[in-house]
Each structure stands twice: as structure tokens, then as C-alpha cells.
Amino acid sequence: MTVAPRDEWRRPGPTAQQRRNDLWIGLGMTVLALVSLTLARSTGAFLLGPPPSGPEQLLWTVAVTIPLIWRRRWPTATLLVVAVVFIAAQARSAPETQFSSWALFSALYTVGAWGQDRRLSRRLRIGVIATMFAWLGIYYAIMIDHIPPGAFDDAVGPVPPVLAAMVTGVLVNVLVFGFAYFFGETAWVAARREHELRTQAEDLRRSQTESRERAVLGERVRIARELHDVVAHHVSVMGVQASACRRVFDRDPAKARTALTAIEQSARTAVDELRRMLGVLRTTGTADAGPAGGDVDRIGELVERARAAGLTATLGVYGDPVALPESVSQAVYRVTQEAVTNTLKHAGADLLDVRVRYLAREVEVDVTDDGRAGGRFNAVGLGLIGMRERVTAHDGDLEAGPRAGGGWRVRARFPVASAGAQREPHDEHQSAVAPRVSA
């Protein structure tokens, strides 16, 4: 985890859109408070006593609600201003109390939800709430001597009417301030959790990216190891042929010419393989290379393993097989091995069909099954990374994904030298290219 401890986290400030929303909310609250003031004056419901002059009433009404336009930008200052103006307005008996109370509620909530310093936020909210209850006590103490006679003539409950009125006021304020504190704290915790989830998701994406990079690196090192073995083989052959040529050069020119021809062919093959090896070594690393080995002639063993695992597996070879470069033969085998392994592990398939096609200038391997295609396709999966790296190293093409009729398909094509190429079959069922199938 890279997130900061809970007490050290600072919620980012409001966005431009949120600041614009606060502007409209503050203006709307002010307009509604002025409407409430007009209705209160129209009904003569002056609950706090004789009101001040009209302009002063307007002043207090606007002053207690308009600070809400800055509530998320400067939550602490907004709460202090609203609280002070709220008490002053009530001390002056301003008749508008409904939306002024909501303004105080909103300011308390905002400090809890957006306060940058959590310790200061808690202390400030507790201090404001305590001050409001102290003001409520002072208000009750002042107003108790001004209760008109007969105000509670209709009271019939068991609790003394004055005490009942005081308890009701206290309970209402406890609920209002309690909810303001609770919802503010809840909003901050929700923002904190969202931040943690985003951070964890970013860490996970970074970890997945690093895993993919390590997988690519490891696969390239493994390919380079295999190509290195191939190049070393051809260089060794060149050494043997050169030695043979040296021995028979004078007494048997025909054999010497044959040896030189073999050296020439091995040199060309080695240079071609070396070019591929340098391509995959462009990214350096120290990943552990897996065991080499495996060629196109061993694909039948993969089919036999699948058959032993309970699948109905078939192998078809189409066209006339040609001698493949060792690196290409290994790459064909590895791609087939990965495709068959995925079928056994993830597909839940019953049928497996492996086809090797020798085309005019390419060799193609095609692995299909009838398993569950949904959820198996992952463009960044480690197995697919390995296949793609091998195919790309030989300038080939790879297709991997669900089939239209159900199941899964992996098809890879590798270019081969045209010298040993055969005619590309146009119809797999023509007798000229009749497949050899094992079932």
C-alpha cells in the first residue's frame, strides 16, 4: 500500500465544477431564505420576539446564507462566519430561522466532509455545537421570564409545559447537530475509501504491467537461449565441414566443393538465426531461461497427452513437410504447446484439433477446441505474450481468440525460406495435399 495513514490524508480541494455548484447552492439558499423571511413577516410569526427593522432583517438573512458559496473552498472559515452570524441574528430576533438553521447544518457538514485538518475539523465542530447549546441555554434563561400568561393553558401532559418545551428544543438540536456531524464524517470516510481504492487499483495496474514486462523479458531470454543453441550448432557444423574440406582439398576437389557448399548454407542459416537472436535481445534482463527443446516433429506428443487427459484430439498435417530452420521448428512447437495447455487448463473442452500446414512460403499451426470461449481471451495474458513474442521474433502472424461457432482458436504463421517451399494447397481435401491425420 502506498496510501498515507488515515489521520495524515488530506482530501483534495473541490473541483471547478464543485465550486460552481456551491455558488448556485449558496445563491439558491439565499433566495429561499429571503422568501421565507417574506412569509414570516407576512404571517407575523416572530417567534424570537419583536424583529429589527426591515433592512436589518434582510442583512441578517443574507449574511447567514451567502457564505455557503465558499463552503467547500474554505469550509472552516465558512462555518465560523455562519455560526457567528446565526447567533447574532437570533440575538437581534431576526424572524428568518428555517433556512438559517439549514445553512448552519450545511456548514457543519461541509467541515466534516471537506476539512483538510481532521483534528482541527473535529475540534471546531464540537466547539460550534457546544456554543450553540450554550446559546440555547442563554436563550431559554432570557425568554422564561417573558412567557405570556396563559401560554400553556391547554397543556394536559404530565411534564411541566416549560420543561417540555425546553426538552423538545434540546432534542431537535441534538438531532440536527448530530446528523450534521455524522454525515460529514461519513462523507469524509467515503472519500478516503475512494482514494484508497483508486490507489490500490493504480498499484495493481502497475504490478500487472511489471509482471507483463517480466514475462516478456523472460520469454525473450528463453527464445534467445534457443536461438543461441541453433547458431552454435551451425557454427560447429561449419567448423567440421571446413576441417573436412581442408583434408580433401588437394586430392578430392569434389568432396571439398561439397563441404564448401555445406559451409555456405550453414553460414547463411547461422546469420539468419543470429539476426533473429539479436532482435529478441534488444531488451536486456536476467530472467531465468526455461529448458529448450521441442520441435514440430514432437507436436504429436502434445496431441497424445491431450488424448490421455480425456479429450478427443486429432492431428492433421497438410501439404508436403519441408525442413524448417531449427528456431522456426521450436517456435511452432512452443506455440502449439501453449495452445494445447490452455485448452486443457481453461477451456473445459471435449474436442481438440491441431493442424500443421506447409504452405508455399509459410508454415502454419492451427489449434482449435470446442470449449468455453467466454472469459478466456486476455490480450495481455502471459501465455499469449509468450506466443506473440515467438511469432514476432520470426516475422510471423498470430491470431488468438474465440471462434464464431464456439470454442477457441490459436493460429500462427511463420515465414520460411522459399528454397524448400512446396505448392500452397488450395483445398485441404484435394488428393494432392491429402492430410495425414491421427485420431
Side-chain angles (χ1 to χ4, degrees):
M1 287 293 294
T2 59
V3 297
R6 185 174 296 273
D7 290 337
E8 297 181 5
W9 180 67
R10 296 292 183 268
R11 183 173 184 176
T15 63
Q17 181 61 46
Q18 289 172 330
R19 291 196 296 269
R20 286 192 293 269
N21 292 341
D22 288 343
L23 172 64
W24 292 112
I25 289 174
L27 294 176
M29 184 74 78
T30 302
V31 171
L32 293 175
L34 292 174
V35 173
S36 176
L37 172 64
T38 302
L39 297 177
R41 296 181 63 184
S42 299
T43 58
F46 303 125
L47 302 179
L48 302 178
S53 63
E56 187 177 348
Q57 294 176 32
L58 291 174
L59 173 64
W60 291 120
T61 301
V62 173
V64 78
T65 55
I66 200 65
L68 293 181
I69 65 177
W70 299 290
R71 67 185 185 94
R72 280 188 280 200
R73 184 180 298 182
W74 298 300
T76 302
T78 300
L79 176 59
L80 289 174
V81 171
V82 171
V84 170
V85 176
F86 180 85
I87 293 176
Q90 290 207 340
R92 292 292 297 162
S93 301
E96 206 296 305
T97 58
Q98 295 185 14
F99 286 95
S100 298
S101 299
W102 279 107
L104 181 61
F105 177 95
S106 178
L108 272 171
Y109 162 82
T110 304
V111 169
W114 289 84
Q116 296 294 315
D117 189 330
R118 298 310 297 169
R119 183 175 299 177
L120 175 61
S121 172
R122 295 188 187 98
R123 291 177 177 177
L124 180 60
R125 284 178 291 165
I126 292 173
V128 169
I129 292 173
T131 301
M132 290 301 165
F133 277 104
W135 163 247
L136 185 63
I138 295 172
Y139 171 78
Y140 283 153
I142 295 175
M143 295 301 296
I144 195 170
D145 294 333
H146 296 81
I147 298 176
F152 301 106
D153 289 344
D154 297 331
V156 294
V159 181
V162 175
L163 178 60
M166 291 182 178
V167 171
T168 299
V170 170
L171 290 177
V172 169
N173 281 275
V174 166
L175 288 176
V176 170
F177 292 125
F179 277 121
Y181 191 99
F182 172 77
F183 286 127
E185 199 72 16
T186 300
W188 185 88
V189 171
R192 166 69 183 186
R193 289 176 178 171
E194 182 181 357
H195 165 76
E196 291 176 349
L197 290 175
R198 286 198 301 267
T199 303
Q200 291 172 357
E202 182 61 31
D203 289 344
L204 181 60
R205 284 192 293 270
R206 189 180 302 110
S207 176
Q208 291 175 341
T209 300
E210 293 173 354
S211 297
R212 290 194 295 268
E213 291 175 352
R214 286 194 297 269
V216 170
L217 181 60
E219 192 63 32
R220 289 183 178 182
V221 171
R222 184 193 305 211
I223 296 171
R225 175 70 62 83
E226 295 175 356
L227 291 175
H228 168 270
D229 294 342
V230 172
V231 173
H233 165 74
H234 286 291
V235 171
S236 299
V237 170
M238 291 167 59
V240 172
Q241 295 291 343
S243 177
C245 178
R246 178 177 56 81
R247 291 190 180 96
V248 301
F249 189 81
D250 293 328
R251 65 175 182 271
D252 195 341
K255 289 185 178 179
R257 188 179 298 106
T258 301
L260 289 174
T261 301
I263 292 173
E264 179 184 6
Q265 293 176 347
S266 295
R268 289 177 178 176
T269 303
V271 169
D272 184 58
E273 301 293 352
L274 183 61
R275 176 184 61 82
R276 295 194 182 100
M277 181 177 67
L278 293 177
V280 298
L281 284 178
R282 284 177 295 182
T283 301
T284 60
T286 58
D288 183 26
D295 54 34
V296 70
D297 294 331
R298 294 179 55 197
I299 291 179
E301 298 176 10
L302 300 176
V303 176
E304 288 296 332
R305 292 195 202 110
R307 191 176 297 122
L311 273 66
T312 302
T314 60
L315 170 63
V317 179
Y318 299 83
D320 295 328
V322 297
L324 300 177
E326 290 184 46
S327 63
V328 175
S329 182
Q330 290 174 351
V332 171
Y333 176 83
R334 292 293 190 185
V335 170
T336 307
Q337 182 183 47
E338 182 65 33
V340 172
T341 301
N342 286 340
T343 297
L344 292 173
K345 286 185 176 180
H346 308 298
D350 296 320
L351 301 177
L352 173 68
D353 184 28
V354 179
R355 302 186 181 189
V356 180
R357 301 183 180 94
Y358 292 91
L359 308 177
R361 294 179 178 84
E362 296 172 316
V363 60
E364 178 183 273
V365 59
D366 191 351
V367 182
T368 58
D369 61 55
D370 63 344
R372 299 183 302 272
R376 290 179 59 203
F377 183 69
N378 182 3
V380 294
L382 301 186
L384 187 56
I385 287 176
M387 289 191 286
R388 181 178 293 115
E389 287 298 315
R390 290 181 180 278
V391 174
T392 302
H394 294 84
D395 300 324
D397 296 317
L398 175 68
E399 301 176 21
R403 296 193 299 166
W408 192 262
R409 181 176 203 172
V410 173
R411 180 166 59 185
R413 284 191 175 189
F414 298 85
V416 294
S418 59
Q422 302 295 322
R423 181 177 58 87
E424 180 175 350
H426 297 284
D427 188 347
E428 294 177 355
H429 300 288
Q430 292 178 359
S431 59
V433 290
R436 300 191 303 276
V437 179
S438 63

